[in-house]
Amino acid sequence: MLLLGRLVAALLSGALLAQAHSLAPMWQLAWAAPIPLLVALIGASRAMALVCGAIAGAGSGALMFGYLAELSGAVPAVAILVFKALIWAGAALAARTADKHLPAAAAVFVFPLLMAGIETLLAAVSPHGTAGAFAYSQMNYLPAIQIASVGGAPAITFVVMLFGSMAAYLLAKRAFVAALAPLTIVALTLGLGFLRLSLPPQSETVRVALLAGDQFEGVPEDWRAVWSAYAPQIERAADADYRIVLMPEKVARLGADERDVAVEQLAEIARRRDVHLIFGVDVSTAQGRFNRAYVADSSAAPVSYDKRHMIPGLESHFQRGRANLQSGAPPARFGYAICKDMDFPAVGRALARSDIVFVPAWDFGVDAWLHSRMAMLRGVENGYAVVRSARNGALTVSDAYGRVLAEAPSGPQTAFNAVAPLDGPGPTLYARIGDAFGWAALASALALLGWALWRRRQTR
């Protein structure tokens, strides 16, 4: 392939990757995204592999640049773009090295294993968890995401990238024998997905009311005004026999002097109307300031959960929560998390014995689809339904297979009634073994690269 052809192929992959990493991806394009780049790497020099990978990596963030710049500033957005370029440059060089020095049947696995392993590593060390993971491009293709119940989000990335690697070897080298194992893995993955989706529908359900009040700017200091808006909605939900009510994250600011009074006012409604009420607040205590969710019902005093993962910069003033929260008993065991917590697989796994996880949230408007789907994937990974109510976002109910059962946009004084399933499959293999697949993928990729480097030395 000529120099210009390789550069054009890298640009094409970058354009497809940009769509796959966008706020509203098309899952079909994600399967094709790595193919032009991987074709261009076959027979390329080391320098050309680095350049092509960097082009594709930088391009992958093109459609998210404006969103990231608005969220965190231009400099961090540029830094993220450069970081993506470096990751893809390194992965491209690894794929080129494997192709040059390994049998095709082994080389075809290096790129997908490495990308799955890198995502596992980033999820473990990044303050943003799995945000930006390639796996979320598949949230509208339910058969593909079922493999998350085995290997988490990295397993989805591996399978989709493996398809691209297989296609590249078929197109560029006619490596039919090398394609047999990848084709079998992809087929088995989709077969598992269709099998899980064909299981009988869940029959045990609960009625839930999701509330959102986008008419309030920021975090209101006057909690009484906020309560005045939400209290009638809670009463109406109870009148309609919706006994679980979920409000968003940080609906009001509660100072230490009025915290108990404010919480008691909503707890009194929960007791009087026999409602299981979850609401998020910004609260001050003797131990510091917390992004907290209170859970109140008719049977006990309110309990609370403190958010564990903050948005860097925007939430640096909060203390981090240290404990998980679950309540109830099967078949109605509930777990609780707050917004960004669900970007982190470890939080999702800690709640794996829940039947439903309730998530008060607050999004940024344009990311409503993407951020809600990130939470939904935790449900697929671990075997529970997810009910999420977000200010400036979406009100969603999804089952343990990632199916969206109910969804509505938030707005001023939004009240959205829905039904959530209780009888999901329960803790999955992923809930039991955690990120074993992702770490094994990283180790396997490094082992194959070590083999390739050894063979290069032997050849010399």
Side-chain angles (χ1 to χ4, degrees), residues 266-309:
L266 289 187
E268 186 277 330
I269 300 176
R271 287 193 300 271
R272 176 168 48 82
R273 301 306 308 271
D274 190 21
V275 166
H276 188 84
L277 175 65
I278 308 108
F279 58 99
V281 291
D282 173 344
V283 62
S284 292
T285 73
Q287 292 75 39
R289 191 171 170 185
F290 292 90
N291 184 339
R292 176 169 291 178
Y294 281 99
V295 181
D297 59 29
S298 60
S299 61
V303 295
S304 64
Y305 166 81
D306 294 324
K307 189 176 182 180
R308 302 178 66 175
H309 296 281

Side-chain angles (χ1 to χ4, degrees), residues 106-122:
V108 72
F109 283 96
V110 170
F111 184 79
L113 285 170
L114 186 59
M115 295 308 289
I118 288 173
E119 288 199 353
T120 305
L121 179 62
L122 290 177

Side-chain angles (χ1 to χ4, degrees), residues 34-405:
I35 298 174
L37 172 64
L38 294 174
V39 169
L41 296 178
I42 295 175
S45 67
R46 285 194 291 269
M48 180 53 62
L50 287 169
V51 169
C52 288
I55 289 172
S60 71
L63 294 181
M64 290 290 281
F65 183 81
Y67 166 74
L68 294 172
E70 183 177 353
L71 190 64
S72 57
V75 173
V78 170
I80 291 172
L81 219 60
V82 171
F83 184 62
K84 283 178 171 286
L86 292 174
I87 287 177
W88 278 83
L93 180 60
R96 180 261 179 198
T97 301
D99 172 66
K100 190 171 179 63
H101 300 290
L102 292 181
V108 72
F109 283 96
V110 170
F111 184 79
L113 285 170
L114 186 59
M115 295 308 289
I118 288 173
E119 288 199 353
T120 305
L121 179 62
L122 290 177
V125 301
S126 170
H128 297 287
T130 59
F134 187 78
Y136 297 120
S137 67
Q138 299 302 297
M139 290 305 296
N140 280 342
Y141 186 42
L142 296 180
I145 67 172
Q146 302 308 311
I147 194 63
S149 66
V150 177
I156 302 173
T157 297
F158 169 74
V159 170
V160 178
M161 293 293 185
L162 182 61
F163 174 84
S165 185
M166 175 190 71
Y169 271 84
L170 286 174
L171 289 170
K173 304 186 79 168
R174 302 294 189 268
F176 295 104
V177 174
L180 290 177
L183 182 61
T184 301
I185 292 171
V186 172
L188 288 174
T189 298
L190 296 181
L192 170 67
F194 283 110
L195 177 62
R196 279 173 58 86
L197 293 170
S198 69
L199 295 175
Q202 296 152 319
S203 56
E204 294 293 326
T205 60
V206 293
R207 292 155 65 88
V208 297
L210 288 73
L211 310 182
D214 289 356
Q215 72 271 28
F216 296 105
E217 292 291 334
V219 184
E221 295 284 344
D222 183 5
W223 60 267
R224 290 178 176 82
V226 178
W227 272 212
S228 295
Y230 278 105
Q233 293 180 314
I234 300 169
E235 298 275 7
R236 285 193 290 271
D239 289 340
D241 200 28
Y242 286 87
R243 297 298 169 185
I244 300 178
V245 179
L246 176 63
M247 292 163 55
E249 173 188 16
K250 290 186 289 191
V251 296
R253 171 93 169 89
L254 303 184
D257 55 338
E258 293 190 296
R259 181 187 69 242
D260 293 342
V261 173
V263 172
E264 174 56 27
Q265 283 197 13
L266 289 187
E268 186 277 330
I269 300 176
R271 287 193 300 271
R272 176 168 48 82
R273 301 306 308 271
D274 190 21
V275 166
H276 188 84
L277 175 65
I278 308 108
F279 58 99
V281 291
D282 173 344
V283 62
S284 292
T285 73
Q287 292 75 39
R289 191 171 170 185
F290 292 90
N291 184 339
R292 176 169 291 178
Y294 281 99
V295 181
D297 59 29
S298 60
S299 61
V303 295
S304 64
Y305 166 81
D306 294 324
K307 189 176 182 180
R308 302 178 66 175
H309 296 281
M310 309 302 166
I311 301 174
L314 293 179
E315 295 184 314
S316 58
H317 51 282
F318 287 115
Q319 300 294 315
R320 293 182 180 274
R322 301 296 178 188
N324 302 307
L325 178 64
Q326 289 180 298
S327 68
R333 186 159 174 79
F334 301 147
Y336 308 91
I338 299 176
C339 201
K340 194 173 181 64
D341 286 335
M342 294 296 274
D343 298 1
F344 292 80
V347 174
R349 286 198 306 275
L351 301 173
R353 296 195 178 278
S354 303
D355 298 294
I356 302 176
V357 171
F358 293 96
V359 186
W362 187 2
D363 293 332
F364 294 92
V366 295
D367 62 352
W369 182 92
L370 180 61
H371 211 195
S372 64
R373 268 57 183 179
M374 293 170 70
M376 290 176 192
L377 189 57
R378 303 290 86 81
V380 179
E381 288 173 346
N382 299 291
Y384 49 68
V386 176
V387 177
R388 186 175 186 272
S389 181
R391 296 174 62 191
N392 299 321
L395 315 179
T396 57
V397 177
S398 61
D399 69 6
Y401 305 100
R403 288 178 287 222
V404 181
L405 305 179

